[in-house]
Amino acid sequence: MSTDIAQALKDLANAKALAASATRRLAHAGLTAGHAAYFALLTEDLAQELTRTQVHAAAALRSTGAHKLDQESFQAITDLGPDPSIEEIDEAKGRTTTGRTHFKDAKGLMTGWLDIPRSTAAARLVQADCLLGGVDEAGQPTAPWLPELAAQFQDPNIDPRLVASAAMKLHSVRKDLGEGNAAEVKKQQLQAESAAFLRSEPKSARKHINDLVAQVKAGKRPLKALLDGIGIFKRGMRKGLVEYLFRVLPSQSAYIDAYFANLDNPSTVAGNRQGLKEVDAQFTGEETSGWDDEGSKPDWAKDRPGDEDVEDDPPEEGLNPDAEDPHSQADDHRPEGEDEEHQPEGDSSEPEPASGEWEDLKPERRRLVGFMALLMSERKPNGSPPDQQAGLASSQVSIILDWEKLQRKMEDFAVTSSGILLSPGEARTALCTAGILPVVLNGKSLPLDLGRTQRLFSKAQVRALRAAYRGCSYPGCSMPAQRCEADHLDPWEKGGRTDIKSAVLNCLIHHTARHCGLFQAVKIPGSRPMVLLPPELDPEQKLRVNTYFMTPAEALEAEALAEETTARWRAGLLDVEIAEP
């Protein structure tokens, strides 16, 4: 057994040396595109395996009490170097002592000796508890806190980084679950739902698990408690800027999101990029190229006699003054709690422009421009809103009421088109003030079908499609419905009909990709269209649905339907139609 352990450690040392050697050679090689792609694929596979290795190593440090090694043992381990022999490794078993040592516990050893950040060390130990098991006060091993996720952590077909992240999320709500059998039932349900997301649609799993955790942390707080916490709070001056904190109800958040969606859309008047730059210049005084000639400039923007051009301060040494901000080309559609490293792989940003001019304003700054334009706009004498202009958007929010869920008194009977759950009180308030446009889903949709009488989809049809599908059809894409185009699944030029059942929403990128044959839309009898990815992206060849804008409960239902539909299709029990590109 001792020799086997020494050989395994020798293999790990060799793996490090091999990876370093390969990286040095590939970094200076003239790679072809295919070899570069394989290089990246192997690197990610290695990173996934390394995640497992790191958690196992943290568990081993704690279970063996490695922080109690004496000074001679630490010196012997350090002296092994990068290429030890089997015999040298076998001799470096180490001795623990009951006396005073350098480190208090495994976390102290990881931070003090291995130079791992304290928060990272703590996270790995928590992941070890959840996915591998820990030790009790008597030093006896304990079972993993999340056994279902523990099995997935060892599954080579599931990214262990996502599993480890999910374990951390679920561990963060352990105090919110309560105590006793009820708490255990809640934990098992959370674990089962999280495992289902990781297994069926990993691209959207992080977002849905974040939503599940947020629901647990929110609990059933009374409306008065929610109302006591909302408002706009001035936080004071920080780094030359005045900070405000917004806290709003979910229903209010839906209006804000809809307003920003229009500002983010360059095809609307409100989101016109050049117009936004001109409006921004009114607040900031920055120069803009928004006027065609000197005569069209307002008085404050014209050069005055005596004004002199002053050269800007030279850029700091080592900085490229012409380099674009890497974040200025992408909109942030990432849900709260989701970090940049694991952003959904769908197209969550605007199409990259031919030049960066109209994207000089970052998404955050564009939205501030729109907010300021709203505050400073003047209403017409009759009280009606001002004319459309850059930065001044309209907030149209769709709320889907599920009659069957309402009858069963389920919590998610009222959901906005962006997947935000509304409480019964918020839904009633919306019904009192909103313009009600009944859109009957799951019906025959005959009133909205235009057949061959019209090629383009009508506004009513697009409204129905947005309510039904909420966003782009491509799995994992986070482009909202307002930024998507209605796409004929039956080509019009080949006799296709402009009917709801023959339509789907796609963002500009994935609309083009479908027509280029990069993925296929599949028409399912009695169901929403699904997507079939090519074998190189999905070796399992499963029918898939984009659940990004669904609530966790809706997403689980949709994934179960996709699994069932795939099984029936493969068994020859269901006739599906793959749409032409």
PDB file of all heavy atoms in Angstrom, residues 19 22 26 34-50:
ATOM      1  N   ALA A  19       2.943  18.777 -17.860  1.00  0.00           N
ATOM      2  CA  ALA A  19       2.089  19.911 -18.214  1.00  0.00           C
ATOM      3  C   ALA A  19       2.909  21.171 -18.437  1.00  0.00           C
ATOM      4  O   ALA A  19       2.685  21.927 -19.392  1.00  0.00           O
ATOM      5  CB  ALA A  19       1.041  20.140 -17.119  1.00  0.00           C
ATOM      6  N   ALA A  22       4.853  20.763 -21.760  1.00  0.00           N
ATOM      7  CA  ALA A  22       3.968  20.897 -22.923  1.00  0.00           C
ATOM      8  C   ALA A  22       3.559  22.348 -23.131  1.00  0.00           C
ATOM      9  O   ALA A  22       3.512  22.843 -24.269  1.00  0.00           O
ATOM     10  CB  ALA A  22       2.737  20.013 -22.734  1.00  0.00           C
ATOM     11  N   LEU A  26       4.144  24.496 -26.527  1.00  0.00           N
ATOM     12  CA  LEU A  26       2.982  24.952 -27.293  1.00  0.00           C
ATOM     13  C   LEU A  26       2.864  26.469 -27.314  1.00  0.00           C
ATOM     14  O   LEU A  26       2.330  27.041 -28.269  1.00  0.00           O
ATOM     15  CB  LEU A  26       1.703  24.343 -26.695  1.00  0.00           C
ATOM     16  CG  LEU A  26       1.562  22.828 -26.859  1.00  0.00           C
ATOM     17  CD1 LEU A  26       0.389  22.312 -26.045  1.00  0.00           C
ATOM     18  CD2 LEU A  26       1.385  22.477 -28.332  1.00  0.00           C
ATOM     19  N   GLY A  34      -6.856  23.912 -35.505  1.00  0.00           N
ATOM     20  CA  GLY A  34      -7.311  22.670 -34.891  1.00  0.00           C
ATOM     21  C   GLY A  34      -6.494  22.289 -33.678  1.00  0.00           C
ATOM     22  O   GLY A  34      -7.033  21.856 -32.656  1.00  0.00           O
ATOM     23  N   HIS A  35      -5.177  22.433 -33.777  1.00  0.00           N
ATOM     24  CA  HIS A  35      -4.315  22.108 -32.647  1.00  0.00           C
ATOM     25  C   HIS A  35      -4.542  23.073 -31.486  1.00  0.00           C
ATOM     26  O   HIS A  35      -4.474  22.675 -30.316  1.00  0.00           O
ATOM     27  CB  HIS A  35      -2.846  22.137 -33.081  1.00  0.00           C
ATOM     28  CG  HIS A  35      -2.465  20.988 -33.949  1.00  0.00           C
ATOM     29  ND1 HIS A  35      -1.360  20.989 -34.772  1.00  0.00           N
ATOM     30  CD2 HIS A  35      -3.055  19.767 -34.135  1.00  0.00           C
ATOM     31  CE1 HIS A  35      -1.280  19.837 -35.417  1.00  0.00           C
ATOM     32  NE2 HIS A  35      -2.300  19.080 -35.050  1.00  0.00           N
ATOM     33  N   ALA A  36      -4.802  24.350 -31.795  1.00  0.00           N
ATOM     34  CA  ALA A  36      -5.089  25.324 -30.736  1.00  0.00           C
ATOM     35  C   ALA A  36      -6.371  24.951 -30.004  1.00  0.00           C
ATOM     36  O   ALA A  36      -6.461  25.052 -28.771  1.00  0.00           O
ATOM     37  CB  ALA A  36      -5.205  26.730 -31.324  1.00  0.00           C
ATOM     38  N   ALA A  37      -7.384  24.503 -30.770  1.00  0.00           N
ATOM     39  CA  ALA A  37      -8.641  24.101 -30.149  1.00  0.00           C
ATOM     40  C   ALA A  37      -8.432  22.879 -29.263  1.00  0.00           C
ATOM     41  O   ALA A  37      -8.980  22.791 -28.151  1.00  0.00           O
ATOM     42  CB  ALA A  37      -9.693  23.817 -31.226  1.00  0.00           C
ATOM     43  N   TYR A  38      -7.630  21.918 -29.718  1.00  0.00           N
ATOM     44  CA  TYR A  38      -7.370  20.723 -28.911  1.00  0.00           C
ATOM     45  C   TYR A  38      -6.554  21.082 -27.666  1.00  0.00           C
ATOM     46  O   TYR A  38      -6.774  20.533 -26.575  1.00  0.00           O
ATOM     47  CB  TYR A  38      -6.633  19.678 -29.748  1.00  0.00           C
ATOM     48  CG  TYR A  38      -6.515  18.336 -29.080  1.00  0.00           C
ATOM     49  CD1 TYR A  38      -7.616  17.730 -28.473  1.00  0.00           C
ATOM     50  CD2 TYR A  38      -5.300  17.652 -29.058  1.00  0.00           C
ATOM     51  CE1 TYR A  38      -7.507  16.499 -27.859  1.00  0.00           C
ATOM     52  CE2 TYR A  38      -5.181  16.415 -28.443  1.00  0.00           C
ATOM     53  CZ  TYR A  38      -6.293  15.844 -27.846  1.00  0.00           C
ATOM     54  OH  TYR A  38      -6.181  14.620 -27.227  1.00  0.00           O
ATOM     55  N   PHE A  39      -5.629  22.016 -27.805  1.00  0.00           N
ATOM     56  CA  PHE A  39      -4.846  22.529 -26.685  1.00  0.00           C
ATOM     57  C   PHE A  39      -5.787  23.089 -25.616  1.00  0.00           C
ATOM     58  O   PHE A  39      -5.678  22.774 -24.423  1.00  0.00           O
ATOM     59  CB  PHE A  39      -3.888  23.605 -27.209  1.00  0.00           C
ATOM     60  CG  PHE A  39      -3.027  24.265 -26.156  1.00  0.00           C
ATOM     61  CD1 PHE A  39      -2.756  23.660 -24.943  1.00  0.00           C
ATOM     62  CD2 PHE A  39      -2.472  25.515 -26.415  1.00  0.00           C
ATOM     63  CE1 PHE A  39      -1.949  24.276 -23.988  1.00  0.00           C
ATOM     64  CE2 PHE A  39      -1.665  26.140 -25.470  1.00  0.00           C
ATOM     65  CZ  PHE A  39      -1.410  25.518 -24.259  1.00  0.00           C
ATOM     66  N   ALA A  40      -6.746  23.903 -26.049  1.00  0.00           N
ATOM     67  CA  ALA A  40      -7.697  24.504 -25.108  1.00  0.00           C
ATOM     68  C   ALA A  40      -8.590  23.438 -24.472  1.00  0.00           C
ATOM     69  O   ALA A  40      -8.881  23.491 -23.269  1.00  0.00           O
ATOM     70  CB  ALA A  40      -8.551  25.553 -25.812  1.00  0.00           C
ATOM     71  N   LEU A  41      -9.039  22.463 -25.269  1.00  0.00           N
ATOM     72  CA  LEU A  41      -9.897  21.400 -24.745  1.00  0.00           C
ATOM     73  C   LEU A  41      -9.173  20.586 -23.677  1.00  0.00           C
ATOM     74  O   LEU A  41      -9.718  20.302 -22.599  1.00  0.00           O
ATOM     75  CB  LEU A  41     -10.351  20.498 -25.889  1.00  0.00           C
ATOM     76  CG  LEU A  41     -11.205  19.279 -25.511  1.00  0.00           C
ATOM     77  CD1 LEU A  41     -12.517  19.723 -24.873  1.00  0.00           C
ATOM     78  CD2 LEU A  41     -11.460  18.403 -26.729  1.00  0.00           C
ATOM     79  N   LEU A  42      -7.933  20.192 -23.955  1.00  0.00           N
ATOM     80  CA  LEU A  42      -7.158  19.418 -22.980  1.00  0.00           C
ATOM     81  C   LEU A  42      -6.911  20.233 -21.709  1.00  0.00           C
ATOM     82  O   LEU A  42      -6.937  19.694 -20.594  1.00  0.00           O
ATOM     83  CB  LEU A  42      -5.824  18.992 -23.595  1.00  0.00           C
ATOM     84  CG  LEU A  42      -5.891  17.939 -24.701  1.00  0.00           C
ATOM     85  CD1 LEU A  42      -4.510  17.731 -25.305  1.00  0.00           C
ATOM     86  CD2 LEU A  42      -6.437  16.620 -24.162  1.00  0.00           C
ATOM     87  N   THR A  43      -6.662  21.538 -21.893  1.00  0.00           N
ATOM     88  CA  THR A  43      -6.409  22.402 -20.730  1.00  0.00           C
ATOM     89  C   THR A  43      -7.632  22.456 -19.822  1.00  0.00           C
ATOM     90  O   THR A  43      -7.510  22.386 -18.590  1.00  0.00           O
ATOM     91  CB  THR A  43      -6.038  23.810 -21.198  1.00  0.00           C
ATOM     92  OG1 THR A  43      -4.859  23.748 -22.010  1.00  0.00           O
ATOM     93  CG2 THR A  43      -5.776  24.724 -20.010  1.00  0.00           C
ATOM     94  N   GLU A  44      -8.832  22.589 -20.410  1.00  0.00           N
ATOM     95  CA  GLU A  44     -10.044  22.646 -19.598  1.00  0.00           C
ATOM     96  C   GLU A  44     -10.314  21.298 -18.936  1.00  0.00           C
ATOM     97  O   GLU A  44     -10.757  21.249 -17.786  1.00  0.00           O
ATOM     98  CB  GLU A  44     -11.235  23.073 -20.456  1.00  0.00           C
ATOM     99  CG  GLU A  44     -11.196  24.538 -20.862  1.00  0.00           C
ATOM    100  CD  GLU A  44     -10.984  25.453 -19.673  1.00  0.00           C
ATOM    101  OE1 GLU A  44     -11.815  25.433 -18.742  1.00  0.00           O
ATOM    102  OE2 GLU A  44      -9.970  26.190 -19.656  1.00  0.00           O
ATOM    103  N   ASP A  45     -10.062  20.216 -19.654  1.00  0.00           N
ATOM    104  CA  ASP A  45     -10.220  18.895 -19.040  1.00  0.00           C
ATOM    105  C   ASP A  45      -9.269  18.739 -17.854  1.00  0.00           C
ATOM    106  O   ASP A  45      -9.631  18.173 -16.803  1.00  0.00           O
ATOM    107  CB  ASP A  45      -9.945  17.789 -20.067  1.00  0.00           C
ATOM    108  CG  ASP A  45     -11.057  17.668 -21.099  1.00  0.00           C
ATOM    109  OD1 ASP A  45     -12.156  18.219 -20.854  1.00  0.00           O
ATOM    110  OD2 ASP A  45     -10.826  17.041 -22.149  1.00  0.00           O
ATOM    111  N   LEU A  46      -8.049  19.248 -18.021  1.00  0.00           N
ATOM    112  CA  LEU A  46      -7.069  19.181 -16.941  1.00  0.00           C
ATOM    113  C   LEU A  46      -7.505  20.038 -15.753  1.00  0.00           C
ATOM    114  O   LEU A  46      -7.357  19.644 -14.595  1.00  0.00           O
ATOM    115  CB  LEU A  46      -5.698  19.641 -17.465  1.00  0.00           C
ATOM    116  CG  LEU A  46      -4.505  19.505 -16.515  1.00  0.00           C
ATOM    117  CD1 LEU A  46      -4.283  18.051 -16.136  1.00  0.00           C
ATOM    118  CD2 LEU A  46      -3.243  20.087 -17.167  1.00  0.00           C
ATOM    119  N   ALA A  47      -8.071  21.223 -16.054  1.00  0.00           N
ATOM    120  CA  ALA A  47      -8.544  22.105 -14.987  1.00  0.00           C
ATOM    121  C   ALA A  47      -9.692  21.459 -14.206  1.00  0.00           C
ATOM    122  O   ALA A  47      -9.777  21.603 -12.983  1.00  0.00           O
ATOM    123  CB  ALA A  47      -8.991  23.441 -15.575  1.00  0.00           C
ATOM    124  N   GLN A  48     -10.574  20.747 -14.922  1.00  0.00           N
ATOM    125  CA  GLN A  48     -11.664  20.056 -14.238  1.00  0.00           C
ATOM    126  C   GLN A  48     -11.118  18.991 -13.295  1.00  0.00           C
ATOM    127  O   GLN A  48     -11.545  18.888 -12.137  1.00  0.00           O
ATOM    128  CB  GLN A  48     -12.597  19.418 -15.267  1.00  0.00           C
ATOM    129  CG  GLN A  48     -13.409  20.409 -16.078  1.00  0.00           C
ATOM    130  CD  GLN A  48     -14.420  19.717 -16.971  1.00  0.00           C
ATOM    131  OE1 GLN A  48     -14.869  18.616 -16.669  1.00  0.00           O
ATOM    132  NE2 GLN A  48     -14.780  20.349 -18.075  1.00  0.00           N
ATOM    133  N   GLU A  49     -10.171  18.209 -13.783  1.00  0.00           N
ATOM    134  CA  GLU A  49      -9.598  17.160 -12.935  1.00  0.00           C
ATOM    135  C   GLU A  49      -8.843  17.773 -11.760  1.00  0.00           C
ATOM    136  O   GLU A  49      -8.835  17.214 -10.650  1.00  0.00           O
ATOM    137  CB  GLU A  49      -8.672  16.272 -13.762  1.00  0.00           C
ATOM    138  CG  GLU A  49      -8.378  14.935 -13.126  1.00  0.00           C
ATOM    139  CD  GLU A  49      -9.641  14.153 -12.827  1.00  0.00           C
ATOM    140  OE1 GLU A  49     -10.503  14.026 -13.724  1.00  0.00           O
ATOM    141  OE2 GLU A  49      -9.772  13.675 -11.671  1.00  0.00           O
ATOM    142  N   LEU A  50      -8.204  18.913 -12.003  1.00  0.00           N
ATOM    143  CA  LEU A  50      -7.471  19.573 -10.931  1.00  0.00           C
ATOM    144  C   LEU A  50      -8.408  20.040  -9.825  1.00  0.00           C
ATOM    145  O   LEU A  50      -8.039  20.050  -8.650  1.00  0.00           O
ATOM    146  CB  LEU A  50      -6.684  20.759 -11.506  1.00  0.00           C
ATOM    147  CG  LEU A  50      -5.746  21.480 -10.539  1.00  0.00           C
ATOM    148  CD1 LEU A  50      -4.701  20.524  -9.991  1.00  0.00           C
ATOM    149  CD2 LEU A  50      -5.061  22.653 -11.236  1.00  0.00           C
TER     150      LEU A  50
END
